[in-house]
Structures are given as structure tokens and as C-alpha cells.
Amino acid sequence: MLKKLLTILSLFCLLLISLPKEIDAQTLEESREALIENLMVAPANTYTYEEVDAYLTGEEARVLETGDIQGDTKFGINGSHSTGQGLEIYSYLAEYFEANTSQSDQDALYPYAVDFDALPNELSFYRGSSDQSFADFAIVNKGNHLEVSHSWIDMSQRHQMIKYRGSVTNVGTQEVMVETGESVRPVKVNTQMKVNLESAHRTDYLFYFFYNDEGTLSLLMQQPQYNRETFSEAKTIISAADLLASGDNSSPTTTSWSLPDDWRMLSPRRGDTPPVAWVLTSAGDNETIAIEPAISGENVVSGFIHPEYSVQAYTTNSYSSEVSKIVTATPDENGYFTLNLDISVGAPPTVQILDKTGNIVFDQEMTVYQYRPTALAHESGYLTLERYFLNQDYVEGYTYPNATVSTQRLDGYATMAGPTVQADDDGYFNIFVQSHTNNNTTTIVSVEHPDTGEKISVAPYPWTQEELDNADW
């Protein structure tokens, strides 16, 4: 695990700042010299070579004695160095520690360590009874980091979940206080995961892992908005011995299944919606989960998930908070599923994906789109729009000469007819309309077909500039 962390930190440091060419040196000694030169100039002070050398010598001795590498949070000499320099210090000290300790040295320094490479890639932790329908914490080892899903039932009796991602490392032995019911006990730990949600200067969430006296594996969690003096605890139901005996997973992978290469083209629901818009209105992680757009009036929830997983969905009335009956489905051999649910703007669906052991690995209330995005050009060739953006108070395009162009604004229960304009002799038109603040609503633009008299329409997706700049066409 330490070697993996070293690789990640090295890459991160290279991305954060442009380092002197000497940092690419082949030896640890040359890297040390380059680091000294870099640390001589700090945002808050300047230091002599001798001062920085003495600082690093002290840190090297401390790291070998304690196994506690803290360069990322201490920010160098007297806290006067930058975050980037602190990360460089951390990276160097980690390399120094690895180069100057044996496995037996590390075992002695970290007697309470948990080796995630020797454990199953998926672990479930419970605060109380395991009879509940989901684990309090579900962990997936992604190889270079852990993904921790924290689940709970809120005051409205709805299932909630938040995910944390972070790298695990061993630190010098810490004694922390663990709160269980009314009692508090001290526990010694080595294996730590920090989750910085705002900046590297602040640890917003702190996790520790250890093998407990009951013979199972414990997870400790500290949250910033609660008492930082104590940690809450959750435990595995399966014993640590059985977990370790289940096989060495030293090469964890992100998943044994991934989305089809071009799932957006395979969906039987997409119809003529442009593939890029279909992706933008879908939800998921773009790796193993793709939940297709929930569209008002279509009453369908569909998407691609692991073929051995299952899905459940329900709606919540936005006005009465009434929750519908849960509808469940399983995917076919290609991972595609579909289920029927009454969906409207006022009753958005919540979709939950359950893995093979029943843990909820995805939980999200879906946006309800009030339209199906179309191509900007109608297939008849008689109506073409320019691209339409959020907060844009006009639509423009081309139709046949002097055609009457009408608009309809979709906006929840306030859907209404919009302005009408006549195209010029060249077929160009420009209509001022009320802009949209989000892209789950749009303005439909229509004309009458010059031959058949039928109404033909275009329903554009309101883009953000960021979406356009990063679109996957």
C-alpha cells in the first residue's frame, strides 16, 4: 500500500507544480539536494542551505524512529512552506522511509496496521445489527484508493448516502478514543485515510482501520461537524481471519465489469435523441453505472449496471413528501434494465443500485427532464436552430422563407405558449424568449410543414459552455 501511495503522491506533486529538472535525478541523494534548493525559498521566509539540511535531517531521523510521515500537513519549517512544498516533503520522506527500512522494521513500527491488499476488495461494516437492509459503510478497494459509501436513514425515513474517496497509509501509532453507546475506550491504530473535501490544509474527514478484540475488522470515523475528540465505530460481521483467508487481492481492479464501449448508442430508449445529449442527461459514474434520463410522462427508469446487480426505484412527492411503492428490476445479460414508475416534475424518482451482497452502491434522486432533446435540424430540412445555451434569452435559426415560427416554453406546471415571429425572405428568424436557468427545461420551436401542414418541432438541449467545451461527440 505504501508503494502505491508513493506513486500517487509523486504524480500529484508533478501535476501541482513545475519542479526543477534535478528532481528527476536517479538517486535519492540527488532528489534530496533538489528538494533543499526548492525549500530555501518559502512564501513566508527564506532559509540557508544549512537550515534546510538540518530540518530534513531531523525529519529523516523522526520518520525512521516513528514511521509517521507528516510533510503534507506540517508544511516544512515552522509551517512557513506552501502546500505544494509540503507535498514534496511528504513524497521525499516516504521514499526515504521505504529505502531505509525493511519489512520487519515496518512491521515493528506499525503493529496495528491493516493491509488492504490482503483483504477482499469489497467490505461491509455495521454499527449495530447486520439485519438491516444495508451496511452503514461499504468499502471498495480501487487499487490506488478506497471508495467508502456511508449510508443512513434520515428523519424522513429516506435512505441517504455519501461517498468518500481517499488513499490509505500507515502512520505512527496513534491512540484515539472510540465512542460505543455510553462508553468511551482508547484504541491504538496505524492505518489512516484522510478525506480533504475543501483543501489540503484541512482534514474534513478522518478514518482509521484496525483489527478489534472481537476478532473482526473495525472502521473508525471522525467528522468535522461533530466532536473531534471521539470516533464512531463500525465493524465487519465476518471475522478478520475469514476475511484474510478468503484470498489475497493484491491486484484489486476497479471492477470486473464495465459499461459497454458505446452504451449511449445501444439504448433502446434513446430513439433519435442525439447521443451526446443522451449522455448529458444521464447519471452514473461513466464506468460501471449509467442511469438513463428520467423524462416526465414516459414513466420509465432504465440504464446499464453490472449484470449481477439489481436496481430499485421509488418516487417522492415534492409537495407532500409521500413516498411511492418501491419497484425493483434486474438487468439482462448485457447489464440493461428497465422498470416502470409514475414519474412527473413533482414526483422525481430515486434510483438505488444494489451489489451482489445487497449493499447500496448508487443512490440518487434523478432530475426529471420535461422534454426529449432533438437534433438541431429537423429531419425534413425545413427547420434548423443554432445552438442554444443556458441563460440565453433568444433562439435563432433558419426555416423556409416567411414561415411563421412559434415557441413553447416548458417549465414545470407553468408550461405556456411563447412568442411567435415570421422568418425573413431568407428564412432566418430570431425570437426573444425567457431564458432557462437549468437544462431540464427548454423552449420548443415549431413551424408548419410547407407541404403537409403538420407541425414540425425542434427541442434543443440548453448547453453550458463547459459542456460544449468538453463534449464527447
Side-chain angles (χ1 to χ4, degrees), residues 8-24 34-35 37-39 41-43 75 81-92:
I8 297 165
L9 283 169
S10 298
L11 291 173
F12 186 42
C13 289
L14 288 172
L15 290 172
L16 275 177
I17 52 178
S18 297
L19 301 180
K21 291 183 179 179
E22 288 86 350
I23 272 297
D24 294 327
L35 180 59
E37 290 184 18
N38 183 276
L39 297 179
V41 179
F75 303 113
H81 285 85
S82 69
T83 303
Q85 289 172 316
L87 288 168
E88 289 180 63
I89 297 168
Y90 187 102
S91 181
Y92 167 75

Side-chain angles (χ1 to χ4, degrees), residues 81-288:
H81 285 85
S82 69
T83 303
Q85 289 172 316
L87 288 168
E88 289 180 63
I89 297 168
Y90 187 102
S91 181
Y92 167 75
L93 291 176
E95 291 182 41
Y96 179 86
F97 178 79
E98 183 75 9
N100 289 277
T101 56
S102 64
Q103 186 59 53
S104 60
D105 293 331
Q106 295 181 25
D107 291 342
L109 285 169
Y110 305 134
Y112 308 101
V114 173
D115 182 6
F116 277 88
D117 289 346
L119 293 166
N121 293 337
E122 297 184 9
L123 298 167
S124 298
F125 293 80
Y126 299 85
R127 278 184 171 148
S129 170
S130 62
D131 295 336
Q132 62 194 52
S133 59
F134 57 87
D136 293 285
F137 295 90
I139 289 183
V140 178
N141 185 353
K142 296 288 189 175
N144 57 0
H145 69 277
L146 294 187
E147 185 176 89
V148 180
S149 299
H150 179 200
S151 298
W152 71 95
I153 299 295
D154 66 15
M155 296 181 65
S156 299
Q157 298 303 302
R158 292 185 56 186
H159 181 272
Q160 302 288 346
M161 183 182 69
I162 187 171
K163 285 187 178 181
Y164 306 96
R165 293 173 177 84
S167 296
V168 174
T169 188
N170 287 325
V171 297
T173 301
Q174 315 283 323
E175 184 172 87
V176 299
M177 304 305 293
V178 179
E179 186 174 357
T180 306
E182 299 296 324
S183 63
V184 177
R185 75 183 194 280
V187 168
K188 292 182 178 180
V189 291
N190 288 120
T191 303
Q192 180 190 81
M193 183 177 89
K194 293 180 180 180
V195 179
N196 302 107
L197 297 184
E198 293 189 7
S199 74
H201 294 264
R202 169 180 165 184
T203 302
D204 287 310
Y205 291 85
L206 191 61
F207 294 84
Y208 284 107
F209 301 91
F210 69 98
Y211 296 108
N212 58 54
D213 291 341
E214 297 175 13
T216 59
L217 180 62
S218 283
L219 171 155
L220 303 181
M221 180 182 185
Q222 179 191 70
Q223 295 175 271
Q225 63 266 45
Y226 299 117
N227 184 358
R228 281 196 174 274
E229 300 302 318
T230 59
F231 287 75
S232 61
E233 182 179 18
K235 306 173 184 177
T236 60
I237 300 302
I238 303 173
S239 71
D242 288 342
L243 289 172
L244 292 168
S246 65
D248 182 359
N249 294 304
S250 58
S251 299
T253 56
T254 56
T255 180
S256 58
W257 185 87
S258 59
L259 290 173
D261 289 339
D262 205 356
W263 63 267
R264 62 186 190 164
M265 303 297 292
L266 301 175
S267 169
R269 276 192 63 214
R270 183 177 65 83
D272 60 358
T273 299
V276 65
W278 194 248
V279 173
L280 289 171
T281 52
S282 296
D285 60 8
N286 293 320
E287 296 178 0
T288 61

Side-chain angles (χ1 to χ4, degrees), residues 39 42 47 55-56 59 70-83 85-87 89-90:
L39 297 179
Y47 298 94
Y55 164 74
L56 280 183
E59 287 298 292
Q70 298 180 336
D72 62 333
T73 56
K74 296 299 183 182
F75 303 113
I77 303 173
N78 300 321
S80 64
H81 285 85
S82 69
T83 303
Q85 289 172 316
L87 288 168
I89 297 168
Y90 187 102

